[in-house]
Amino acid sequence: MSVAVRVIPCLDVDQGRVVKGVNFTGLVDAGDPVELARRYDGEWADELTFLDVTASSSDRETTYDVVRGTADQVFIPLTVGGGVRGPEDVDRLLRAGADKVSLNTAAISDPGLLETASRRFGAQCVVLSVDARRVPSGGTETSSGFEVTTHGGRRGTGICAVEWAARAERLGVGEILLNSMDADGTKEGFDLEMIRAVRAAVRVPLIASGGAGSAEHFAPAVHAGADAVLAASVFHFGELTIEEVKNAMRAEGITVR
């Protein structure tokens, strides 16, 4: 029996409002997170992801009140990230209503945080978020040609994105959210090469993010190895519906809920 591919709207939140930009800059207001969460729950989204997109770069904690308000309105799994610096933050987010917590910047600074969180809360609660891009000209070369970035893609780390994903799996994460900073905002499709590279290195579920512009873009990401597909603005602004994306994938022989 095939495992159903999940379709996940992403709520990028800044100061209590859903926003959308390119590489998390030039942010445009896209609505109230609680209202959007309620809408997506009614449209049969499989999960929701909530990211405080300025939490790490502005050194600010995630807005717990918004997380609670969102969690009160949805009855599907909710992943929350942004401003997570230690196990205590993971604990607070889970208590606020998150089902899973996404770690990014803090895990790069302290990879042991992934192992600590996995042991304390269970691998099923721990997601590694990887904001990756092709190594730019003059950058530090990596074995895969992809590097991890921080602060919304504004800072390169020189860390190989594929090796980082594999290491995170060994440290106990239960899922990887792979966001292509190159494809983000282009609406030209997911970065299939990047998805294939990470899929070949890990066995945990892989969520593909960045680049969705049409319903036909999602199936290739799944065929490249994604277990779930994530998008933001195309859903928020009504360019696509969850149903349209699922129907397009069904037409390609992909099992969806």
Side-chain angles (χ1 to χ4, degrees), residues 76-244:
I76 51 179
L78 174 64
T79 299
V80 182
V84 180
R85 298 173 181 82
E88 297 76 17
D89 295 323
V90 177
D91 184 61
R92 286 185 66 189
L93 285 169
L94 293 173
R95 291 178 185 277
D99 297 282
K100 296 181 277 190
V101 175
S102 172
L103 298 106
N104 189 337
T105 305
I108 295 169
S109 302
D110 177 18
L113 173 59
L114 299 174
E115 185 173 23
T116 299
S118 179
R119 288 184 174 180
R120 180 170 169 182
F121 305 107
Q124 76 282 356
C125 293
V126 183
V127 179
L128 175 70
S129 180
V130 182
D131 292 335
R133 68 181 181 188
R134 282 170 171 75
V135 177
S137 177
T140 302
E141 292 186 9
T142 67
S143 59
S144 67
F146 300 105
E147 75 167 333
V148 177
T149 68
T150 62
H151 298 81
R154 295 187 289 276
R155 298 183 191 176
T157 64
I159 298 170
C160 174
V162 175
E163 293 176 0
W164 175 228
R167 183 182 181 190
E169 181 179 43
R170 293 194 298 272
L171 289 170
V173 303
E175 193 165 54
I176 292 171
L177 168 56
L178 180 64
N179 184 34
S180 169
M181 306 310 291
D182 296 322
D184 184 44
T186 66
K187 296 188 178 181
E188 295 178 355
F190 294 88
D191 191 327
L192 305 182
E193 182 183 355
M194 181 186 290
I195 295 169
R196 292 188 191 101
V198 174
R199 174 77 286 160
V202 302
R203 299 178 64 183
V204 295
L206 178 63
I207 305 169
S209 171
S214 74
E216 290 70 35
H217 285 156
F218 292 83
V222 176
H223 292 314
D227 300 283
V229 284
L230 178 148
S233 61
V234 290
F235 292 139
H236 302 337
F237 296 120
E239 297 170 44
L240 292 174
T241 66
I242 305 293
E243 183 178 16
E244 287 171 341

Side-chain angles (χ1 to χ4, degrees), residues 39-61:
R39 185 183 110 194
Y40 291 133
D41 192 27
E43 292 179 0
W44 299 98
D46 297 301
E47 296 185 9
L48 280 176
T49 291
F50 172 110
L51 297 176
D52 188 332
V53 298
T54 58
S56 294
S57 58
S58 300
D59 195 33
R60 188 181 71 230
E61 287 192 11

